Amino acid sequence: VSFPLVLLNGGEEADFFKLSVRGIPAGWVSLPSPVVRIREGEQRDVVLLIQPPDSGQVHAGRHRLTVQVASHAIEEDLVELQVALTVATIEIDDRVGLLMASNTFSAVPGEITAVPVVLLNQGQDEDALQLAVDGLPGSWVSCPQEPVVLAPGQQEEVSLAIQPPPETESRAGRHRFRILVRSEANPDDRAEATCVLTVATYTAFEAILDPIQVEAGEAASLTIENRGNYQQVFELMWRSLNDQLDFDVSPSHQVRLAAGQTETLDLRGLPRRRPLVGGEMTYPFTVRVRSADGEVQDLRGEVIGKAVVPTWLALIVVVLVLALVCLSAFVLARGDLAILKPIRSAISA
């Protein structure tokens, strides 16, 4: 704010005049020079600059300033000027008044955002002002339960607390809401301010693999639930020990889910090589689900594979072979005895 001043030296000699401002922080005030030299009978135009910091660092309100100009030559010769300064982005100047340093706010799900509001009673009588919020879920907002009692001309700062829960219902993005102030003495007297709350993104998801142990070629169900407050893309990766398995996943390596949405995929694992003979083989594997912001969940499972020839069948084959060998030996032995019998008879004769 540019605040022009005209300084007049009505004395008979040139003089130095010191300017100062009381009632607001010194960092808000900027002057070309705190001391101005003015010749006798002359006047000087001076511009006083008042610049509060941005809305995140200052409270709204009405400040009474005192601008003082003091003579250097005569200490008791000074002039004071009273100034009213209103600091606000929103100003409702009615019988029920309202000031706000900002009308835009940010909130992180699960954390509290304070919304300061300055209430003013600009009527002629004492009044009680009731504060309310419209446009946001009631569970998000905490308002003063008791009305604020103000004398005529009095102002008071109160604070609302906004806390979106860390749930899918706390949709990320901009939410418009209204702050309402109503007079209890005269309900028709009210003030209203339109504000915007920007809810930050919140990431949360759950992934479940069921069952964790399956036969080779059978499907395991991979279920992903987006518990965050915005649409996300989840990347799927899988690996097995020593790269022993081939994976078949339906429908995709990526899953796009809206807030609160759940999707189930089929995951099949097949051994790359099967042993010729043996029993059941266990192939451990890991499925990794990664959200767009890098959050990771690892799910572990097992695929049960079998050899081409089961052990029990191999044993039966071995037994049968041994039996055939023994039988063949026995048959051959019987045949040799039958040939030797006539020879023995002839020798005996």
Side-chain angles (χ1 to χ4, degrees), residues 331-347:
V331 170
L332 291 174
R334 295 272 303 192
D336 291 342
L337 291 176
I339 294 173
L340 292 174
K341 186 174 182 181
I343 296 175
R344 291 175 181 175
S345 298
I347 293 173

Side-chain angles (χ1 to χ4, degrees), residues 1 37 45 57 69 76 106 114 153 156 190 232 235 238-239 264 310:
V1 175
R37 184 179 185 276
D45 294 333
Q57 305 174 38
V69 183
E76 64 273 14
S106 299
E156 182 173 333
R190 61 182 63 195
Q232 290 195 71
E235 182 182 357
W238 35 84
R239 61 180 182 271
T264 299

Side-chain angles (χ1 to χ4, degrees), residues 45 92-93 165 168 183 292 345:
D45 294 333
I92 298 177
D93 193 10
T168 57
S183 165
S345 298

Side-chain angles (χ1 to χ4, degrees), residues 221-295:
S221 296
L222 174 62
T223 302
I224 305 172
E225 180 184 2
N226 181 6
R227 295 183 174 179
N229 64 352
Y230 70 108
Q231 179 176 269
Q232 290 195 71
V233 176
F234 297 92
E235 182 182 357
L236 308 180
M237 296 170 285
W238 35 84
R239 61 180 182 271
S240 59
L241 183 64
N242 298 324
D243 202 25
Q244 294 175 317
L245 295 175
D246 277 327
F247 292 96
D248 178 21
V249 181
S250 177
S252 173
H253 295 321
Q254 287 187 341
V255 179
R256 186 183 300 272
L257 298 177
Q261 186 179 358
T262 301
E263 186 163 336
T264 299
L265 300 86
D266 290 335
L267 172 67
R268 291 178 173 84
L270 288 170
R272 293 178 182 271
R273 296 181 182 84
R274 296 171 60 191
L276 181 62
V277 178
E280 290 186 341
M281 300 285 294
T282 301
Y283 302 90
F285 68 91
T286 301
V287 179
R288 171 165 290 187
V289 182
R290 185 197 301 272
S291 66
D293 64 351
E295 185 177 345

Side-chain angles (χ1 to χ4, degrees), residues 46-64:
V46 177
V47 177
L48 176 69
L49 296 178
I50 300 176
Q51 184 176 13
D54 63 46
S55 59
Q57 305 174 38
V58 67
H59 291 272
R62 288 182 174 165
H63 305 264
R64 295 191 177 277

